[in-house]
Amino acid sequence: MNDATSETRKRRSSRVKAAAAVAIATMVPLALSTVPAEGTVVNVGAGHNITVFHNIDFVAVVGYEDTEVLTVEVIRNGTVIGTATGDARGDAVDGFGLEVNHGPVGAPQPGDCWVGGTPDIRPGDTIRVTSDSTDVVDQVVVDRINFTGRPSALPNGDVVVPFNAFRANGTAIRPGFIDSPEFRAAANPQVRFEAGPGIVVERRPGFVPGKLRVRYKSPFRPSRNKPGWNQRQLRRALLGDGHAIGFGHVAVLPAEGMLVDGLTATPGPALGCEGA
């Protein structure tokens, strides 16, 4: 495993849990929206959420019943290419569900890892969730969100990171729908930026729909800066990796979340799963 892949695995494990991340960070209870997201929802029941980080093969599902046995499948062209089954876990505040390939703490439990190999999840794949005790069949199609280049500094000191955002059918996602720009400094995860007035999602020069960038405004105002880094240190960190982008990673979870974690794809098993 090269250093870049190892660092991404560490960042994946240190990033707060997908289902409750923003609820914890903002110190508000987790809630589930009954309104479907604007992305590619096939069918997601009221109170349920499916969140996909396709570039690291991580799927989180939440909003189910305690100990309900869930099966999460990745389907490509009608064929199941990945599966995980386990009891829904969690608590009444953060919700019950599974986090497949997130990086278990200790020995992996059923549903923590993909069985029989980690699927390389790609845009256009279908994520299907079924229950052994109900007729639940929740499905979303993975949207086409990806970073397209390295961060760069503008003359005014702002840092921008380019990315593309399209739905699975190729329709451009508008900038205002991208509500989950996030950053965890690779060198210190206690330096964090999350959606707020100091971060803007906008079209890149040329104004082509779907070709966007996230702009970190200078002077930088991180949501967390426990080591007390100065502006120069913050800019240097933002010019590296640790970026995530997408939608649905918010305090009131919609039916789906679609994000990428890291500037490049790092497919494969999470730390603690077979083959990592």
Side-chain angles (χ1 to χ4, degrees):
M1 182 182 297
N2 61 38
D3 291 342
T5 301
S6 177
E7 185 55 52
T8 299
R9 295 281 186 258
K10 292 176 183 177
R11 188 173 63 251
R12 165 169 39 194
S13 293
S14 65
R15 193 181 291 276
V16 255
K17 300 288 189 179
V22 179
I24 293 171
T26 58
M27 300 305 289
V28 299
L30 174 68
L32 289 156
S33 171
T34 59
V35 180
E38 191 176 315
T40 311
V41 175
V42 177
N43 177 70
V44 177
H48 296 172
N49 166 270
I50 300 174
T51 293
V52 183
F53 290 77
H54 72 81
N55 70 319
I56 56 175
D57 304 329
F58 168 31
V59 176
V61 301
V62 71
Y64 300 88
E65 297 298 321
D66 185 15
T67 72
E68 184 176 1
V69 179
L70 302 175
T71 296
V72 181
E73 296 172 306
V74 183
I75 302 169
R76 180 176 301 154
N77 299 324
T79 300
V80 176
I81 64 170
T83 184
T85 299
D87 291 353
R89 298 185 293 276
D91 57 58
V93 175
D94 296 335
F96 298 95
L98 293 177
E99 293 183 329
V100 186
N101 207 47
H102 182 246
V105 177
Q109 301 299 306
D112 285 342
C113 302
W114 299 108
V115 176
T118 303
D120 181 7
I121 301 174
R122 301 173 186 172
D125 291 346
T126 295
I127 308 299
R128 180 170 65 194
V129 182
T130 56
S131 168
D132 74 331
S133 57
T134 69
D135 58 359
V136 166
V137 180
D138 291 337
Q139 296 184 84
V140 299
V141 179
V142 180
D143 289 325
R144 304 178 186 278
I145 301 175
N146 63 285
F147 287 109
T148 60
R150 302 290 303 181
S152 60
L154 299 181
N156 67 352
D158 292 356
V159 170
V160 293
V161 191
F163 69 98
N164 288 347
F166 296 89
R167 297 190 182 89
N169 65 2
T171 301
I173 298 175
R174 57 188 173 86
F177 193 69
I178 302 295
D179 59 12
S180 304
E182 302 176 8
F183 176 79
R184 305 285 187 274
N188 191 325
Q190 296 304 316
V191 176
R192 303 179 182 179
F193 289 77
E194 292 168 347
I199 306 177
V200 176
V201 176
E202 59 191 13
R203 287 185 180 179
R204 300 204 298 269
F207 300 99
V208 178
K211 295 185 179 294
L212 310 176
R213 67 184 183 184
V214 56
R215 177 198 293 260
Y216 298 87
K217 292 183 176 181
S218 176
F220 307 113
R221 298 180 178 87
S223 55
R224 179 177 296 184
N225 186 11
K226 287 195 172 181
W229 285 0
N230 60 32
Q231 290 292 303
R232 181 178 178 181
Q233 290 170 309
L234 292 170
R235 178 175 290 104
R236 184 164 60 243
L238 287 168
L239 289 171
D241 207 345
H243 298 273
I245 196 69
F247 64 85
H249 208 208
V250 292
V252 179
L253 292 174
E256 68 165 346
M258 292 285 166
L259 303 99
V260 293
D261 183 1
L263 297 176
T264 58
T266 54
L271 291 174
C273 292
E274 185 176 353

